[in-house]
Amino acid sequence: MKKLVYLFLIITIVACKETKKENTESPEQVAVEKTDVKLYTFDGGTVMVNNLELFSQDTTYQGQTKEFSDAFYVVSHPDGNLMWDAGLPEGLVGLPEPFTDPSGAFTVSRKDSLVNQLKSIGMTPEDFKYIALSHTHFDHSGHANTLKNATWLVQEAEHDFITSEESQQNNADNYNAIKELTSVKKLSGDFDVFGDGTVVIKSMPGHTPGHQVLYLDLPQTGPTLLSGDLYHLYENREHKRIPIFNFDVDQTLKSMEAFEAFAAEKEAKVYLQHQKEDFNKMPKAPEYLN
């Protein structure tokens, strides 16, 4: 009987040790997986704002101009690749001169195509599981249709807005830029893309009905927020200035408050997507290929 008790104690001790070993290794395995998630920033063109006054409700920027960057981003994750935003229309690539819209407010240009830029990280448009746009304005949806095999992650309010009969008639270019994205996952608020907290879409409406921003928690960058068009300028973030063409001013202000609270909670670095200085700080290929 004593031998049986002794044998039972030995088996119990060994089992406990194995359990402790498993629990010790689990966080390390998760950490290794997170290091496999990488962010790449690409040049989606340049926007010369000839009338900066459009970007405030008052006359603060009267008579001023500003050159905006127009980035798009690739998140490489073991469970699939995500593209965030899609730059300016690819029809601009190869034009002898930048294009100025009929109103004269914007002069736009784009040097390189999506396909050519993806080659630098060994990808093609077919390699993407998801595409998500901060919103559906022309400078964020330029090459979206090229990823027609990917699933479009879009707030339901944004999808209803851009696919409405009114948009198809009055904003045909914006609608046509996304009309081939037929695999759609409609969102109703925040969405953890891969379920592990590394890539989270945050609903921040106001600029458009379903505007959203992107939160990243990667070893490569640390906690990071890509602002979409919640803010275009550092000054607009500091003073909560809102463009005159925003869909809803009150909604924008609420989103700004929520954004800042979340950024403080996560101690996140904030990158304004149209600020050239922030574009230059972001990781580019082939810097993070290895």
Side-chain angles (χ1 to χ4, degrees):
M1 183 67 177
K2 289 183 179 179
K3 288 184 179 180
L4 287 174
V5 172
Y6 181 68
L7 181 60
F8 174 77
L9 288 173
I10 291 175
I11 292 172
T12 302
I13 292 169
V14 170
C16 289
K17 286 183 177 180
E18 289 297 319
T19 301
K20 288 181 180 179
K21 183 179 179 182
E22 287 177 4
N23 291 339
T24 302
E25 289 179 350
S26 180
E28 294 174 1
Q29 290 169 353
V30 172
V32 168
E33 289 176 3
K34 280 196 172 186
T35 63
D36 292 334
V37 186
K38 288 185 169 57
L39 172 70
Y40 304 98
T41 305
F42 291 96
D43 184 1
T46 300
V47 179
M48 186 66 201
V49 181
N50 302 318
N51 181 11
L52 197 63
E53 192 174 347
L54 295 171
F55 290 84
S56 179
Q57 298 284 317
D58 54 28
T59 59
T60 297
Y61 300 125
Q62 188 173 25
Q64 296 184 40
T65 63
K66 181 83 172 181
E67 184 176 288
F68 285 177
S69 62
D70 199 341
F72 66 94
Y73 308 83
V74 170
V75 180
S76 175
H77 190 284
D79 292 337
N81 299 316
L82 165 76
M83 181 167 294
W84 176 256
D85 278 337
L88 286 158
E90 290 200 313
L92 296 168
V93 178
L95 290 182
E97 299 290 337
F99 173 79
T100 300
D101 79 294
S103 74
F106 303 102
T107 298
V108 295
S109 61
R110 180 166 175 168
K111 294 180 179 179
D112 209 352
S113 69
L114 170 66
V115 171
N116 196 49
Q117 292 189 73
L118 288 180
K119 287 179 182 177
S120 66
I121 56 172
M123 289 188 190
T124 71
E126 288 69 38
D127 293 327
F128 286 83
K129 185 175 183 178
Y130 299 116
I131 179 171
L133 309 176
S134 58
H135 61 297
T136 52
H137 284 167
F138 75 99
D139 54 329
H140 292 261
S141 60
H143 59 245
N145 284 333
T146 309
L147 273 72
K148 60 186 178 183
N149 294 326
T151 296
W152 182 22
L153 305 176
V154 56
Q155 299 295 325
E156 186 171 8
E158 189 77 6
H159 186 269
D160 291 348
F161 164 72
I162 194 61
T163 60
S164 67
E165 288 187 14
E166 182 181 355
S167 286
Q168 292 184 45
Q169 292 174 5
N170 300 329
N171 296 298
D173 288 342
N174 286 357
Y175 167 73
N176 288 335
I178 53 84
K179 69 178 183 180
E180 295 182 39
L181 300 178
T182 56
S183 176
V184 179
K185 182 175 178 61
K186 296 180 185 179
L187 310 179
S188 298
D190 299 349
F191 179 66
D192 189 337
V193 178
F194 300 105
D196 59 5
T198 59
V199 184
V200 181
I201 292 172
K202 302 282 294 179
S203 175
M204 297 283 168
H207 184 63
T208 60
H211 181 272
Q212 50 194 15
V213 304
L214 190 67
Y215 173 71
L216 302 168
D217 187 9
L218 316 179
Q220 174 193 359
T221 60
T224 297
L225 276 163
L226 301 180
S227 69
D229 275 7
L230 183 63
Y231 304 111
H232 295 80
L233 309 162
Y234 294 141
E235 296 88 347
N236 280 19
R237 184 184 180 198
E238 181 181 357
H239 301 290
K240 290 186 168 59
R241 293 177 185 148
I242 298 171
I244 64 172
F245 52 88
N246 270 34
F247 176 76
D248 189 312
V249 171
D250 289 339
Q251 208 172 44
T252 302
L253 288 169
K254 290 178 182 177
S255 289
M256 287 177 173
E257 291 178 8
F259 181 92
E260 296 301 338
F262 183 77
E265 175 193 340
K266 297 295 185 180
E267 299 182 350
K269 299 175 186 175
V270 173
Y271 292 90
L272 308 192
Q273 292 183 209
H274 282 304
Q275 280 278 178
K276 290 171 59 179
E277 296 84 352
D278 281 1
F279 173 78
N280 292 333
K281 294 174 187 175
M282 297 298 287
K284 317 288 193 307
E287 186 177 351
Y288 288 93
L289 280 177
N290 297 320

